[in-house]
Amino acid sequence: MSNARATHLTRRGILAAGGAVGLGAVLAACGDDDPKSGGSADSTKDAASGPWTFKDDRDETVKLDKVPANIVAFTGVAAALFDYGIEVKGVFGPTKTKNGKADVQAGDMDVSKVTVLGNVYGQFNVEKYATLAPDVLISTMFDDAGTLWYVPAESKDKISKLAPSVGISVYDRQLPKPLERMLALAESLGADVKAAKTVEAKKNFEAAAERLRAAAKARPEIKVLAGSASQDIFYVSGSNLSIDLEYFKALGVNLVEPPAKVLKASGGWFENLSWENVDKYPADIIIMDDRTATIQPADITEATWKKLPAVKAGQVIGRTPEPILSYDKCTPMLNNLAEAIEKAKKVA
């Protein structure tokens, strides 16, 4: 895994992405690419026929003469909209892996049918963006300053002149809130939120949440640690900023995390440990960052990792720090953790 280059990187850029990112990993290829209410639509029919208005999580309202047709979005946002039947024209963010297949953050999208403006942090081809004649740009936000995720600071002014933007916050709130906001955005863009598939997906999510709550209540002794791996560092997440971990904690999951005074150095997101100290926080289950920019558990060769009780017991599962914000995609996160807690042996 190549070393990260932090040129033009803010602290937010280093720490965001769901909190646990070993950002020696997530930002490993920074560079330039080549040349509180929902939407205003009362129904799908109204949404399909403009004008279009949407108030985002910066309290900024975008008003257009018609519903956006040429949508450009952060990959994870595009994947969520796709689940609701809304397709975008261009994306930026992790979209394709090195072998050309869809990145985990692309969900069910056919990545061959979208224009990729940049595949890693720091990439955003402004010239190509302009050729798409964008009506709106949509991204998530990992801070309270309204910074659009994966929109490079050095080119954001040029980008903002080409189309208005919408920001959906995934900072310091529990998962259901951004899910609601994404659904409202999709509805404003023409999605039928009363479709059987969508209604069923939301019911499944709610059922999975209750399952996790019940599992956590039945097994309060099971300690869960959220980690992320890079070549030289193991990152242990705090739970107070990430939408998934905040929700897990609210459901009663016994999360193991660094003390607040330690997390302060990273803005509250995580503590970075050397591999020699990877056993600092005993845990029965480890949930590991599943993004392609991080080292996956099967590829970790450090002896100290292999000696961890949770690893030896086979109690390591994936974690999705940047969830695709559709009910369909978030339900497995809850069920997988619930099942892990239900079946876990007490090993810490």
Side-chain angles (χ1 to χ4, degrees):
M1 179 170 293
S2 61
N3 293 326
R5 290 187 286 125
T7 306
H8 303 303
L9 227 47
T10 63
R11 170 173 286 188
R12 177 204 58 83
I14 295 175
L15 306 178
V21 210
L23 291 186
V26 164
L27 307 181
C30 289
D32 294 326
D33 191 21
D34 294 329
K36 282 167 184 155
S37 59
S40 62
D42 294 325
S43 69
T44 301
K45 181 178 179 180
D46 291 337
S49 63
W52 184 76
T53 300
F54 190 83
K55 185 176 182 181
D56 75 359
D57 291 340
R58 300 169 297 184
D59 285 332
E60 295 182 8
T61 300
V62 177
K63 297 181 179 181
L64 299 174
D65 292 337
K66 60 181 181 178
V67 176
N70 295 342
I71 302 170
V72 173
F74 172 68
T75 303
V77 170
L81 292 176
F82 183 87
D83 283 356
Y84 294 124
I86 305 299
E87 297 189 26
V88 307
K89 198 168 185 178
V91 297
F92 54 94
T95 307
K96 297 180 180 180
T97 59
K98 292 180 179 179
N99 61 13
K101 294 183 179 180
D103 187 276
V104 64
Q105 294 192 59
D108 294 331
M109 285 193 300
D110 183 344
V111 296
S112 69
K113 293 183 178 180
V114 294
T115 298
V116 181
L117 303 175
N119 203 57
V120 298
Y121 196 92
Q123 286 185 352
F124 194 111
N125 191 317
V126 181
E127 292 74 19
K128 190 181 291 185
Y129 176 56
T131 67
L132 297 177
D135 294 320
V136 67
L137 178 147
I138 309 172
S139 190
T140 48
M141 302 181 298
F142 279 94
D143 62 22
D144 56 7
T147 308
L148 296 174
W149 188 230
Y150 269 72
V151 174
E154 61 270 24
S155 55
K156 67 181 179 65
D157 291 339
K158 292 180 180 179
I159 293 168
S160 66
K161 291 178 181 178
L162 295 171
S165 62
V166 167
I168 299 297
S169 179
V170 290
Y171 175 74
D172 194 16
R173 60 198 59 201
Q174 295 177 26
L175 181 59
K177 182 62 176 179
L179 278 171
E180 292 169 3
R181 296 293 290 135
M182 190 61 71
L183 185 64
L185 175 60
E187 181 180 19
S188 79
L189 293 169
D192 180 4
V193 300
K194 295 181 181 179
K197 178 181 177 181
T198 299
V199 172
E200 184 68 18
K202 187 173 182 180
K203 287 182 179 179
N204 290 340
F205 175 83
E206 292 168 349
E210 288 308 309
R211 179 185 179 185
L212 180 54
R213 188 193 304 275
K217 184 177 181 180
R219 304 292 308 279
E221 77 281 9
I222 298 300
K223 297 180 179 180
V224 178
L225 179 145
S228 183
S230 68
Q231 184 172 348
D232 301 315
I233 299 173
F234 183 78
Y235 301 80
V236 178
S237 281
S239 66
N240 290 329
L241 298 178
S242 302
I243 58 174
D244 62 329
L245 299 184
E246 282 202 16
Y247 192 43
F248 295 163
K249 184 167 64 174
L251 291 174
V253 175
N254 183 1
L255 290 170
V256 180
E257 57 185 314
K261 63 181 179 179
V262 174
L263 292 170
K264 186 177 181 180
S266 70
W269 289 104
F270 55 75
E271 177 182 2
N272 39 332
L273 302 175
S274 66
W275 284 103
E276 288 76 14
N277 295 314
V278 73
D279 60 352
K280 182 176 180 179
Y281 299 102
D284 302 293
I285 296 171
I286 301 175
I287 55 176
M288 289 290 290
D289 191 334
D290 67 357
R291 288 167 296 179
T292 53
T294 64
I295 300 177
Q296 296 305 299
D299 299 319
I300 298 175
T301 59
E302 301 290 341
T304 48
W305 163 263
K306 294 181 178 181
K307 291 179 181 179
L308 293 177
V311 176
K312 293 171 68 175
Q315 295 177 174
V316 178
I317 65 171
R319 176 202 168 202
T320 305
E322 288 188 73
I324 293 173
L325 295 173
S326 72
Y327 291 103
D328 180 67
K329 293 298 184 294
C330 288
T331 297
M333 295 166 44
L334 304 179
N335 278 326
N336 291 343
L337 181 54
E339 181 178 9
I341 292 174
E342 291 163 355
K343 296 180 177 180
K345 297 177 181 179
K346 181 63 183 173
V347 295

